[in-house]
Amino acid sequence: MGLARPVVFGNWKMHGLRADSLALAGSLVERAVRPTGTLGVFPPATVLRDVARRLEGSRILAGAQDCHPEASGAFTGSISASMVKDAGGTAVLVGHSERRHGLGEDDAVIRRKVLAAQGEGLLVVLCVGETEAEWQAGEREARLRRQIHEGLAETVDAALLVLAYEPVWAIGTGRTPSLEDIAGTHAFLRRELVGRLPAAQDVPLLYGGSVKPGNAADIMALPDVDGALVGGASLDAAGFWSIYQAGGGA
Ligand SMILES: O=C[C@H](O)COP(=O)(O)O
């Protein structure tokens, strides 16, 4: 059985001290009494434990925004998958564009992170997406194909996988691809993913990049769009909840 749809995840990025984060988590718990879909938040690592505790008893999952591929060692500033789990996290984002492009992570390290996280039983949200230059040069599909084939080892557990398509140029910009474009790209991603992992037919495909309450319904109504990975708009509980409802969640 896969995750209940819609799958709507909020990436809080580097936002939120403890009090704000707990208030946001609490506000979501009040709304999500018995959610029909899958809701999750990815707070900063510093508050992951507190947020996970606040979400206990709800069906909202808490995850980390990254993990290191090694189990432990001299890796200053990093956290391992087992540390995420120890802090109460059950999921982790891997390969977000702000780490690929801002911190130079390549598909080889991302592949190792995916395996490390799944080795601890964490749900992996693998983020893929093309840059604006790649899009304009007609290289989108080639880039996405590489990210899927190189980022996912053949031994990846499809039951612990979510794929998030986030065009780099749509993140935090207010711009999104056309609905037709998103639908076409998600169909392509489904084919590539199943070609890579035959068991991935039911892996949720999320769209991310400037998802807001105003565009969420149209985007999540598209075939092969199973939910959304939301950045900025997930920092407001009412807005995040309305995105979830726009995707059919109750
Ligand atoms: O992980 C989330 C994405 O980077 C989307 O961010 P955004 O909704 O602020 O564009």
Side-chain angles (χ1 to χ4, degrees):
M1 275 296 286
L3 297 176
R5 272 55 164 182
V7 178
V8 178
F9 290 159
N11 175 9
W12 295 358
K13 306 192 178 185
M14 198 171 73
H15 295 286
L17 301 181
R18 186 169 174 275
D20 303 326
S21 301
L22 287 175
L24 179 51
S27 195
L28 290 175
V29 170
E30 282 166 19
R31 288 174 166 82
V33 178
R34 201 168 286 113
T36 54
T38 305
L39 273 167
V41 296
F42 295 76
T46 48
V47 295
L48 176 57
R49 180 183 300 278
D50 290 314
V51 169
R53 282 207 181 125
R54 183 67 188 84
L55 296 177
E56 261 170 27
S58 79
R59 296 189 194 160
I60 305 171
L61 66 84
Q65 298 173 13
D66 180 51
C67 71
H68 196 278
E70 296 294 333
S72 63
F75 303 107
T76 302
S78 297
I79 59 171
S80 68
S82 62
M83 291 171 184
V84 172
K85 190 171 158 187
D86 189 48
T90 56
V92 64
L93 304 180
V94 176
H96 192 280
S97 80
E98 286 149 18
R99 298 197 63 89
R100 289 181 189 264
H101 301 286
L103 297 166
E105 290 189 2
D106 61 13
D107 289 317
V109 77
I110 287 165
R111 178 188 183 103
R112 293 171 58 221
K113 288 182 179 203
V114 171
L115 293 175
Q118 289 198 338
E120 290 295 334
L122 299 175
L123 176 73
V124 168
V125 183
L126 175 67
C127 304
V128 297
E130 81 286 354
T131 64
E132 183 152 28
E134 288 165 341
W135 172 41
Q136 287 178 347
E139 294 167 1
R140 170 193 277 157
E141 293 195 352
R143 163 60 82 175
L144 296 176
R145 182 177 291 122
R146 267 201 314 280
Q147 289 174 331
I148 287 176
H149 286 260
E150 294 176 20
L152 293 172
E154 286 170 4
T155 52
V156 158
D157 181 356
L160 284 178
L161 183 66
V162 171
L163 189 72
Y165 169 55
E166 300 204 310
V168 178
W169 51 274
I171 296 175
T173 59
R175 299 165 62 206
T176 58
S178 68
L179 293 173
E180 191 184 7
D181 211 3
I182 295 173
T185 304
H186 276 239
F188 168 79
L189 288 169
R190 177 68 71 194
R191 287 196 300 276
E192 286 301 315
L193 192 55
V194 172
R196 181 63 176 157
L197 300 173
Q201 194 59 52
D202 197 40
V203 164
L205 298 186
L206 313 187
Y207 169 79
S210 296
V211 175
K212 309 283 179 214
N215 61 16
D218 287 343
I219 292 173
M220 286 191 273
L222 296 169
D224 265 323
V225 178
D226 301 303
L229 178 56
V230 186
S234 72
L235 297 173
D236 171 67
F240 185 58
W241 182 251
S242 73
I243 288 172
Y244 170 72
Q245 288 181 310

